Amino acid sequence: MALKTLSAKAAAALDRELMSTGAFSIDQLMELAGLSVSQVVYRVHPVNKGRRILVAVGPGNNGGDGLVAARHLRHYGYQPAIYYPKRSKNDLYQRLAKQLEDLDVPFVDDFSTALQSADHVIDAVFGFSFSGEVREPFPAVIQAMAESKVPVTSVDAPSSWDIEQGPPKTGVGSNFHPDVLVSLTAPKPLVKHFKGRHFIGGRFVAPGIAKKYDFDVPAYEGVDQVVEVGPEGLKL
Amino acid sequence: MALKTLSAKAAAALDRELMSTGAFSIDQLMELAGLSVSQVVYRVHPVNKGRRILVAVGPGNNGGDGLVAARHLRHYGYQPAIYYPKRSKNDLYQRLAKQLEDLDVPFVDDFSTALQSADHVIDAVFGFSFSGEVREPFPAVIQAMAESKVPVTSVDAPSSWDIEQGPPKTGVGSNFHPDVLVSLTAPKPLVKHFKGRHFIGGRFVAPGIAKKYDFDVPAYEGVDQVVEVGPEGLKL
């Protein structure tokens, strides 16, 4: 049985509902989403496989998830570095960046150079609200991730992919196939085109909300904030 | 080597510093503190030992940690019930309560009756800012926890204990000895009087802050948000 997916439009409505009737703050949701991402990286790339995690951070919520993940990874003993070229003036993102600075996590200006000494990359550039064209300076970032042999974990969506249709047919991102994907709350339709290891994270959705949006809460184990699912959505 | 402790005054200053120069929001800190508590309960009282967790919630931040812990425990498969007689009008606490209501977590009016059908209790009544007398309706709650055979996990401090001096010599709480204690960020001086299983949680303190407040960040493992420490602070 395939996991049900959540369209871009439904994902945006779910986010709004979690923060209105669901009574969650964005601080809470982002903390739990970023924690999920950090647990996936710990699982697919244990500390002893190399500590240097490069995090590509976009200007919106997907980037915020990446900032939170980097903080948790630092506490797990990794050495993250942040590429964050379009800093938001949003108070929350500024605070998340400050929390990393207080942990002496470096912010780097040149993604391609940083990639050469990275053991793993987190792609937190664009999430489910992405559509249209990849804006500067991110085309080169996506191209570098696509061409690099360093494994990549994408947050919610491989950046540049269309949320419904998957990888673009031509141009930036058409050859970008990350190794790992963390779908937050529920997979988006693009997972049909994804061939790597697939996890679901974001263990905060009430059954009533999942039912309303017609997706399944996966069978998380123990205190895990993530669960690995197979290509057909089957639990591994 | 004993773990260093944090006085009530220092703990309050640390909290203020985390939320000012540390740039954390209270939503974030409470989410991570409550998550820590839920992980301790999962460890000391696995789901197969009985799912019914009764959470005694006080009017302040300690109570908020309990509300967050209850939500995570519900997601782990427990059946929490909440005793929350002095509801705060504070927006955050109201939202945390709403999140539980959306998960069909019951709020109970009679603590003693609820205790009779509980498998485990979380004492989230008072934390490091407690001093002086236990106000109504909590004396009977603390008395009931003290006399019950149902195991109790206290959040940051056994409620009614003096943060520096430990259990009161007489009266309410003088016979209250919880089974488990979760110290948040660092143990308080009262731990010298505590004989049960002792955990530290709250994996978000930067080394620079710990150094300034002169306590040790314990050696957490993997992605754990908690670590068990021995009576002398030695890692078990």
Side-chain angles (χ1 to χ4, degrees):
Chain A
M1 188 180 71
L3 277 180
K4 292 171 180 169
T5 60
L6 205 56
S7 71
K9 201 173 161 184
L14 170 63
D15 241 29
R16 285 193 301 271
E17 176 145 359
L18 287 169
M19 288 189 273
S20 55
T21 54
F24 285 93
S25 67
I26 190 166
D27 291 51
Q28 266 187 297
L29 293 178
M30 200 166 280
E31 192 63 36
L32 294 173
L35 181 67
S36 295
V37 174
S38 74
Q39 290 191 356
V40 167
V41 172
Y42 183 85
R43 213 180 291 182
V44 301
H45 191 93
V47 176
N48 62 17
K49 280 183 69 184
R51 295 172 187 268
R52 299 166 303 176
I53 312 289
L54 177 60
V55 189
V57 175
N61 283 353
N62 204 251
D65 297 340
L67 295 173
V68 172
R71 171 164 38 82
H72 287 289
L73 288 165
R74 171 69 181 73
H75 285 295
Y76 304 160
Y78 293 87
Q79 291 164 353
I82 313 295
Y83 174 74
Y84 188 20
K86 292 284 180 188
R87 291 212 186 196
S88 169
K89 287 181 180 168
N90 176 294
D91 173 64
L92 171 56
Y93 303 148
Q94 292 198 355
R95 288 192 286 102
L96 295 176
K98 173 68 161 68
Q99 290 160 24
L100 288 168
E101 288 162 8
D102 287 349
L103 287 164
D104 298 321
V105 171
F107 286 69
V108 299
D109 291 326
D110 182 337
F111 184 80
S112 295
T113 303
L115 186 57
Q116 289 170 25
S117 56
D119 298 308
H120 195 94
V121 177
I122 296 176
D123 158 27
V125 177
F126 301 124
F128 67 76
S129 60
F130 172 80
S131 69
E133 287 206 356
V134 177
R135 293 196 189 164
E136 293 297 336
F138 294 108
V141 172
I142 289 161
Q143 190 64 21
M145 289 192 290
E147 291 173 358
S148 169
K149 285 182 178 163
V150 180
V152 175
T153 291
S154 284
V155 179
D156 219 22
S159 296
S160 75
W161 285 28
D162 182 89
I163 303 305
E164 321 290 332
Q165 306 297 331
K169 296 273 184 290
T170 57
V172 173
S174 57
N175 62 339
F176 181 36
H177 294 278
D179 304 80
V180 182
L181 175 66
V182 192
S183 293
L184 295 171
T185 68
K188 312 306 175 291
L190 56 74
V191 292
K192 289 189 295 288
H193 303 274
F194 177 73
K195 308 292 181 201
R197 292 180 70 177
H198 181 208
F199 294 80
I200 298 181
R203 195 177 184 178
F204 47 70
V205 179
I209 293 273
K211 194 175 175 190
K212 176 173 174 182
Y213 285 84
D214 192 29
F215 66 88
D216 303 307
V217 174
Y220 295 96
E221 287 190 1
V223 301
D224 292 350
Q225 299 293 310
V226 293
V227 60
E228 186 165 5
V229 292
E232 293 302 311
L234 288 170
K235 188 147 167 294
L236 292 181
Chain B
M1 189 181 72
L3 277 181
K4 292 171 180 171
T5 61
L6 205 57
S7 71
K9 200 172 162 185
L14 170 62
D15 241 29
R16 284 193 301 272
E17 175 144 359
L18 286 170
M19 288 189 273
S20 55
T21 53
F24 285 94
S25 68
I26 189 166
D27 290 52
Q28 265 187 298
L29 293 177
M30 199 167 277
E31 192 63 37
L32 294 173
L35 181 68
S36 295
V37 173
S38 74
Q39 291 191 353
V40 167
V41 172
Y42 184 86
R43 212 180 292 184
V44 301
H45 192 92
V47 175
N48 62 15
K49 281 183 71 183
R51 295 173 186 269
R52 299 167 302 178
I53 312 290
L54 178 60
V55 189
V57 175
N61 284 353
N62 204 252
D65 296 339
L67 295 174
V68 172
R71 171 164 38 84
H72 286 290
L73 288 164
R74 171 68 182 72
H75 284 296
Y76 304 159
Y78 292 88
Q79 292 164 351
I82 313 294
Y83 174 75
Y84 188 21
K86 292 284 181 190
R87 290 212 186 196
S88 168
K89 287 181 180 168
N90 175 296
D91 172 65
L92 171 57
Y93 304 149
Q94 291 197 358
R95 288 191 287 103
L96 296 176
K98 173 67 163 65
Q99 291 160 23
L100 290 167
E101 288 162 8
D102 287 348
L103 289 165
D104 298 322
V105 171
F107 286 70
V108 300
D109 291 328
D110 183 337
F111 185 80
S112 295
T113 303
L115 185 58
Q116 289 169 28
S117 55
D119 299 307
H120 196 93
V121 177
I122 296 176
D123 158 28
V125 177
F126 301 124
F128 67 77
S129 58
F130 172 80
S131 68
E133 286 206 356
V134 177
R135 294 196 187 164
E136 293 298 338
F138 294 108
V141 172
I142 289 161
Q143 190 64 20
M145 289 192 289
E147 291 173 358
S148 169
K149 285 180 179 166
V150 179
V152 175
T153 292
S154 287
V155 179
D156 219 22
S159 295
S160 76
W161 285 27
D162 183 89
I163 303 306
E164 321 291 332
Q165 306 295 330
K169 296 272 186 290
T170 58
V172 174
S174 58
N175 61 340
F176 180 37
H177 294 279
D179 304 78
V180 182
L181 175 65
V182 191
S183 294
L184 294 171
T185 66
K188 312 305 173 292
L190 57 75
V191 292
K192 289 189 294 287
H193 304 273
F194 176 74
K195 308 292 180 200
R197 292 180 69 176
H198 180 208
F199 294 80
I200 299 182
R203 194 177 184 179
F204 47 71
V205 178
I209 293 273
K211 192 175 178 191
K212 176 172 173 181
Y213 285 85
D214 192 27
F215 65 88
D216 303 307
V217 174
Y220 294 98
E221 287 190 1
V223 301
D224 293 352
Q225 298 294 312
V226 293
V227 60
E228 185 164 6
V229 293
E232 293 301 314
L234 286 171
K235 188 146 170 292
L236 290 180

